[in-house]
Amino acid sequence: MATKHPHGDADPSTSPPPPPSRRPRGFASASNPPAPPPPGRRRGEREREREKERTKLRERQRRAITSRMLAGLRQHGNFPLPARADMNDVLAALARAAGWTVHPDGTTFLSSPQPPLPPPAQFGAFQATSLETPVFTNSLNSYAIGTPLDSQASALQTDDSLSPSSLDSVVVAEQSIKNESYGNSSSANSLNCMGSDQLLRASAVWAGDFTKTPYIPVYASLSMGIINCYCQLVDPEAVRAELRHLKSLNVDGVVVDCWWGIVEAWTPQKYEWSGYRDLFGIIKEFKLKVQVVLSFHGSGECGSGGVLIALPRWVLEIAQENQDIFFTDREGRRNTECLSWGIDKERVLRGRTGIEVYFDFMRSFHMEFRSLSEEGLISAIEVGLGASGELRYPSCPEKMGWRYPGIGEFQCYDRYMQKNLRQSALTRGHLFWARGPDNAGYYNSRSHETGFFCDGGDYDSYYGRFFLNWYSGILIDHVDQVLSLATLAFDGAAIVVKIPSIYWWYRTASHAAELTAGFYNPTNRDGYSPVFRMLKKHSIILKVVCYGPEFTVQENGEAFADPEGLTWQVMNAAWDHGLSVSVESSLPCLDVDMYSRILDTAKPRNDPDRHHLSFFAYRQRTPFLLQRDACFSELETFVKCMHG
């Protein structure tokens, strides 16, 4: 037994040992730090840290090299590679470009060769509408659904390859084949170009009685290359031959593009009009009227004479130091087709704002050709307000990799637009809204693939409604400023504004392609009425762009497109606001069905308000009728029906 202490406690010498001490935790551990590791262990940890840093550096270098390679493939090879492309994506894109078929599971095989096309002379104007080239077909197949685009090198290049094509160039590859086939057909065999079923449809179209219908003037556009970059008329005799054909068809007048990049090309406020003066003199000989289009954008197409039209050279010189004068997408890529609306009030163009530059150009035109307007030769003046001369953001540039039916991208990332967005968000009291949507996809995305445009997406959230109201509001403000000065410069002349027809994704809830173009027109909102109220304020004639069967040959369920639905919404909204409406056909009319569709639009049947178009414009890229791209008799009859 253990001996007891006199006070009753056990003897310490015989008591059990105390329990082992535990490692202190919490704040107690700070007062008793652990012993430092041995010197050898410390050196090993430092070496491992250095190796980690070296590994990170090598990875960053590898990613930088990969990013530059992918950017080069996208920019110079036009490969639609995903934002986080890997080696499989690169191999698949290269294989597709070489004519191979690559399935999503990796199955790869050589595509079957297409039969060669017959000589162009074997095709009439109507059989040629279904032609496709193997290269064009393969290029369409190579653009997989939802292929995003990553950032490209943001350094400005002022060469011609950077100028984005217009929206109409979506079908330029297919259209070039058609133009070749139409070019060799003559007026003698044009009457034989229809089959029996087409002749029956033709007789049914012209069976209607148009003798008591309103008179609608018909205008045909002249080719772009008749004026060269030095503002000289290239071939006066060819122009006379073209006008002679038009006069024989009783066409009322012609449409002439006056390019800012030609007239004010070299020096600010030094305008050269000599070529247009000669052209208007020839048109006056044939007693035709002229609709002038003041084109403040560039064009990537070559007309006859090899003319490639860009913005003025002095503007491109400014852009070498300040790239933010151009529209910019989320990846920082600049669109050199037209100036950003963010500089409308910024004095960045040699001491002038964007609005002042437009006004000076319009005033110079009016002073130069005032007598022709007073004589009635110039019947209307169309003011270009955006990409391709249309009132829209350049949201679908083909040079950036866009392909139909991609939704496009918002164009609001230049410094001046971002400054405006920040001010709007600050005024609203939500500074964190001063940003573009980060889930809106890429140029070739589909609506349902994005978090912003999908059904129930962020486009209908509080932030989405704020951003889209601001984005479309910039468009409306640009219209108001330019047209206020246009009505002042032209002193009562008829002014025309062109509205695009962005009909793909129209049968979805968000109308994504319209939203990126600046028209806030989802299914629960009329996005065209605010624009038309502004146009009515300035007494503008509205021009609606319509596309022919050639453009809609790709229509399918994937695009949720509805060209007729959009056209009727736009026209009815314009008529409701008391606007005069006209139509421009951007592609040649090649069959009777197209003529019938235009007549139904120009003179709606059973309309109690008896609405009709104010005029019809026929626009194409090649000289009108000299290429024999339409049946003369059908076109002549169509003009008679339009005239009533």
Side-chain angles (χ1 to χ4, degrees):
M1 293 180 59
T3 60
K4 294 285 187 178
H5 195 268
H7 297 285
D9 293 333
D11 186 359
S13 62
T14 60
S15 61
S21 61
R22 297 181 178 178
R23 178 182 297 177
R25 298 182 180 179
F27 292 102
S29 62
S31 60
N32 298 308
R41 181 179 176 185
R42 192 180 304 118
R43 284 194 299 270
E45 289 180 353
R46 285 199 299 266
E47 187 62 30
R48 283 193 294 270
E49 291 296 329
R50 292 194 189 98
E51 182 60 29
K52 288 182 181 179
E53 291 299 325
R54 286 193 292 268
T55 301
K56 291 180 181 178
L57 179 60
R58 287 193 296 268
E59 181 64 18
R60 284 196 293 268
Q61 291 175 344
R62 186 190 66 80
R63 290 182 180 178
I65 294 173
T66 302
S67 178
R68 286 192 289 269
M69 291 173 63
L70 295 178
L73 287 173
R74 294 188 186 97
Q75 181 176 359
H76 304 294
N78 202 22
F79 286 95
L81 297 173
R84 305 183 186 279
D86 56 15
M87 186 57 66
N88 290 339
D89 298 314
V90 176
L91 290 175
L94 293 173
R96 292 191 182 101
W100 292 71
T101 299
V102 181
H103 288 172
D105 62 353
T107 304
T108 305
F109 55 89
L110 185 62
S111 303
S112 58
Q114 299 289 336
L117 292 176
Q122 296 181 14
F123 291 93
F126 290 91
Q127 284 84 354
T129 58
S130 62
L131 289 180
E132 282 186 336
T133 63
V135 175
F136 184 63
T137 304
N138 291 335
S139 64
L140 287 177
N141 294 336
S142 67
Y143 294 107
I145 295 177
T147 52
L149 291 173
D150 197 12
S151 61
Q152 298 177 354
S154 60
L156 175 68
Q157 299 182 17
T158 58
D159 56 71
D160 298 330
S161 63
L162 272 186
S163 301
S165 301
S166 65
L167 183 62
D168 301 341
S169 63
V170 176
V171 292
V172 67
E174 183 180 10
Q175 187 66 23
S176 62
I177 298 299
K178 293 172 187 174
N179 288 340
E180 292 177 4
S181 63
Y182 305 144
N184 293 333
S185 60
S186 63
S187 59
N189 61 23
S190 62
L191 296 178
N192 300 324
C193 65
M194 295 184 294
S196 58
D197 56 337
Q198 292 170 328
L199 288 173
L200 290 175
R201 289 200 305 270
S203 61
V205 169
W206 308 131
D209 184 9
F210 293 94
T211 55
K212 296 182 180 180
T213 56
Y215 184 98
I216 297 178
V218 177
Y219 290 80
S221 64
L222 297 180
S223 57
M224 185 177 66
I226 59 178
I227 304 291
N228 63 19
C229 61
Y230 299 100
C231 201
Q232 298 171 340
L233 186 60
V234 177
D235 191 348
E237 293 307 316
V239 172
R240 285 188 172 88
E242 189 170 355
L243 295 177
R244 196 170 294 111
H245 282 289
L246 294 174
K247 189 68 176 180
S248 67
L249 292 169
N250 296 319
V251 171
D252 298 85
V254 294
V255 180
V256 176
D257 291 285
C258 287
W259 294 91
W260 178 38
I262 291 179
V263 176
E264 197 183 358
W266 308 102
T267 307
Q269 294 182 283
K270 184 177 181 180
Y271 306 97
E272 178 59 58
W273 296 103
S274 58
Y276 291 104
R277 195 181 305 113
D278 296 338
L279 175 61
F280 294 154
I282 295 176
I283 296 174
K284 187 176 180 180
E285 296 175 8
F286 291 88
K287 298 181 179 179
L288 293 170
K289 294 186 179 299
V290 180
Q291 285 190 3
V292 178
V293 180
L294 301 183
S295 300
F296 293 105
H297 64 285
S299 174
E301 300 175 12
C302 290
S304 60
V307 177
L308 187 64
I309 301 172
L311 296 184
R313 277 66 171 176
W314 60 271
V315 172
L316 299 181
E317 292 175 0
I318 294 173
Q320 291 179 353
E321 299 179 357
N322 183 8
Q323 302 177 30
D324 289 287
I325 66 174
F326 295 130
F327 283 107
T328 308
D329 62 16
R330 189 177 60 177
E331 303 293 343
R333 289 165 292 195
R334 315 290 182 171
N335 191 316
T336 61
E337 182 182 358
C338 56
L339 295 179
S340 168
W341 301 334
I343 65 171
D344 281 353
K345 302 176 183 178
E346 302 285 343
R347 296 189 177 279
V348 295
L349 301 175
R350 304 282 173 86
R352 291 186 294 168
T353 66
I355 296 297
E356 290 173 346
V357 166
Y358 302 145
F359 175 68
D360 290 342
F361 183 83
M362 292 185 289
R363 182 174 56 182
S364 174
F365 174 86
H366 179 66
M367 297 301 294
E368 184 71 28
F369 301 110
R370 171 186 290 179
S371 59
L372 299 182
S373 298
E374 294 174 352
E375 294 173 8
L377 177 70
I378 299 178
S379 60
I381 300 173
E382 180 181 324
V383 179
L385 292 172
S388 302
E390 301 171 348
L391 177 57
R392 62 176 177 86
Y393 288 89
S395 57
C396 300
E398 191 180 24
K399 287 293 183 182
M400 299 293 186
W402 175 85
R403 294 294 183 274
Y404 175 85
I407 60 176
E409 288 191 20
F410 292 111
Q411 305 290 317
C412 60
Y413 294 91
D414 61 82
R415 177 173 19 129
Y416 305 103
M417 295 282 280
Q418 287 293 299
K419 176 184 175 182
N420 192 303
L421 176 58
R422 182 179 177 83
Q423 292 175 347
S424 298
L426 189 61
T427 302
R428 182 69 181 272
H430 300 290
L431 187 57
F432 58 93
W433 281 354
R435 58 180 177 82
D438 54 6
N439 58 347
Y442 300 88
Y443 286 111
N444 292 322
S445 297
R446 272 56 173 167
S447 297
H448 57 273
E449 298 172 345
T450 68
F452 192 81
F453 298 114
C454 65
D455 292 346
D458 291 344
Y459 79 93
D460 204 25
S461 64
Y462 289 109
Y463 159 72
R465 290 194 291 271
F466 159 78
F467 175 78
L468 293 173
N469 271 302
W470 169 82
Y471 191 69
S472 61
I474 293 293
L475 179 145
I476 296 174
D477 186 57
H478 176 71
V479 171
D480 188 23
Q481 293 183 76
V482 175
L483 294 183
S484 295
L485 296 179
T487 54
L488 178 64
F490 297 131
D491 192 22
I495 300 176
V496 181
V497 169
K498 183 160 60 174
I499 297 291
S501 179
I502 305 177
Y503 57 79
W504 49 101
W505 307 108
Y506 186 80
R507 290 189 286 112
T508 60
S510 62
H511 293 212
E514 291 172 85
L515 297 186
T516 58
F519 293 94
Y520 189 10
N521 188 51
T523 53
N524 58 352
R525 190 178 188 275
D526 182 6
Y528 292 94
S529 287
V531 180
F532 294 163
R533 280 195 296 270
M534 186 60 66
L535 297 183
K536 180 60 179 178
K537 169 185 172 182
H538 300 287
S539 302
I540 300 301
I541 300 175
L542 181 71
K543 179 187 283 188
V544 182
V545 179
C546 68
Y547 297 97
E550 297 82 4
F551 189 81
T552 58
V553 71
Q554 306 174 56
E555 295 302 329
N556 50 53
E558 286 185 2
F560 292 93
D562 189 0
E564 295 181 356
L566 175 62
T567 299
W568 282 113
Q569 179 193 353
V570 170
M571 294 181 64
N572 285 316
W575 281 329
D576 288 343
H577 286 83
L579 288 172
S580 298
V581 180
S582 61
V583 163
E584 175 184 296
S585 177
S586 63
L587 294 175
C589 303
L590 300 175
D591 58 19
V592 179
D593 290 338
M594 185 59 181
Y595 288 127
S596 174
R597 198 177 311 171
I598 293 173
L599 282 170
D600 290 340
T601 303
K603 304 178 179 183
R605 304 174 187 271
N606 303 321
D607 184 357
D609 297 321
R610 301 181 63 83
H611 289 129
H612 59 85
L613 299 182
S614 58
F615 65 85
F616 172 75
Y618 184 100
R619 176 175 286 273
Q620 80 289 324
R621 301 176 181 84
T622 55
F624 187 83
L625 297 178
L626 293 182
Q627 299 296 326
R628 305 297 195 268
D629 60 355
C631 296
F632 284 166
S633 62
E634 298 303 322
L635 183 57
E636 186 177 8
T637 306
F638 167 75
V639 173
K640 291 180 179 178
C641 292
M642 294 292 283
H643 287 169

